[in-house]
Amino acid sequence: MSRILVLTAIEDELGRARLPDGVRVIYTGVGKINAASAATLALLTLHPDLVINYGTAGKINETLRGLVEVSTVVQRDMMAMPLAPRGRTPFAPELDLLTSGQSGVVCGTGDSFVTSSDPWLIENNVDIVDMELFAVAQVCRRHGLPWRAFKFITDDANDLAHQDWTANVKDGEGLFWDTLDRIR
């Protein structure tokens, strides 16, 4: 049986009540630095075969609902102009776009809670926004481990996002555990 590591920001997003055998859950904390630090420590100590990031997300693509799988992740807040265009890490082009190898949506990760329209997200075909996935995917890339990501759409990434997130944060937990049961 493979060892699966599930990384999620906070316990409010995913409790351990339905935790199956062979799966570990680590709470990383919110944001890219917390996620990168926790992911690195977890990979070095637990030696998983697969890393799964589960969390909540705001939607940019109005057609999305429920639980979605992420195929690609970008950094929506890498802004090092004029050294590189927004979303690109200067002097490290391999970090622009990380892919899971699965079909799904495009996620834009950043250290801000999105509460208003951002034309760059639409122009770059970003479907959803979160605050941890790019860091998790980058740590996995550096350690040669496969990753997958599932995000539950809690809000519309608008001025009501904080209220909607609070009201919906727990609603994706059961959907995620059901999905994990199917892919294990």
Side-chain angles (χ1 to χ4, degrees):
M1 176 184 291
S2 66
R3 294 177 311 248
I4 297 174
L5 173 62
V6 176
L7 298 173
T8 192
I10 58 175
E11 195 169 357
D12 284 352
E13 289 180 314
L14 186 68
R16 291 187 171 114
R18 288 183 55 188
L19 187 64
D21 290 338
V23 177
R24 294 280 307 263
V25 171
I26 300 291
Y27 301 109
T28 65
V30 174
K32 292 188 295 185
I33 290 175
N34 286 329
S37 175
T40 300
L41 181 59
L43 267 57
L44 293 174
T45 58
L46 300 175
H47 310 288
D49 299 312
L50 172 65
V51 175
I52 298 176
N53 175 234
Y54 170 74
T56 55
K59 68 178 175 182
I60 304 303
N61 179 336
E62 291 297 320
T63 66
L64 297 176
R65 304 271 183 280
L67 187 70
V68 297
E69 184 161 7
V70 176
S71 64
T72 306
V73 63
V74 299
Q75 287 194 89
R76 61 182 165 81
D77 65 349
M78 177 53 74
M79 295 185 203
M81 297 78 72
L83 298 176
R86 179 177 173 186
R88 293 201 179 155
T89 303
F91 315 112
E94 73 279 3
L95 301 183
D96 293 347
L97 188 84
L98 302 175
T99 59
S100 68
Q102 305 295 318
S103 53
V105 302
V106 176
C107 180
T109 299
D111 280 320
S112 61
F113 192 78
V114 178
T115 59
S116 63
S117 179
D118 180 343
W120 185 89
L121 296 171
I122 296 164
E123 292 164 9
N124 286 277
N125 300 311
V126 172
D127 295 301
I128 63 172
V129 291
D130 86 327
M131 297 177 70
E132 294 83 28
L133 178 55
F134 191 90
V136 169
Q138 169 60 356
V139 169
C140 289
R141 186 193 74 79
R142 285 202 172 168
H143 291 270
L145 280 171
W147 62 272
R148 292 180 79 172
F150 297 90
K151 299 294 179 172
F152 181 72
I153 308 298
T154 54
D155 60 82
D156 294 332
N158 61 18
D159 58 343
L160 298 175
H162 66 288
Q163 293 171 354
D164 293 341
W165 181 87
T166 301
N168 299 318
V169 64
K170 292 299 259 179
D171 294 347
E173 184 174 353
L175 295 171
F176 172 74
W177 288 126
D178 291 346
T179 299
L180 184 62
D181 286 343
R182 285 192 299 275
I183 66 172
R184 285 182 350 114

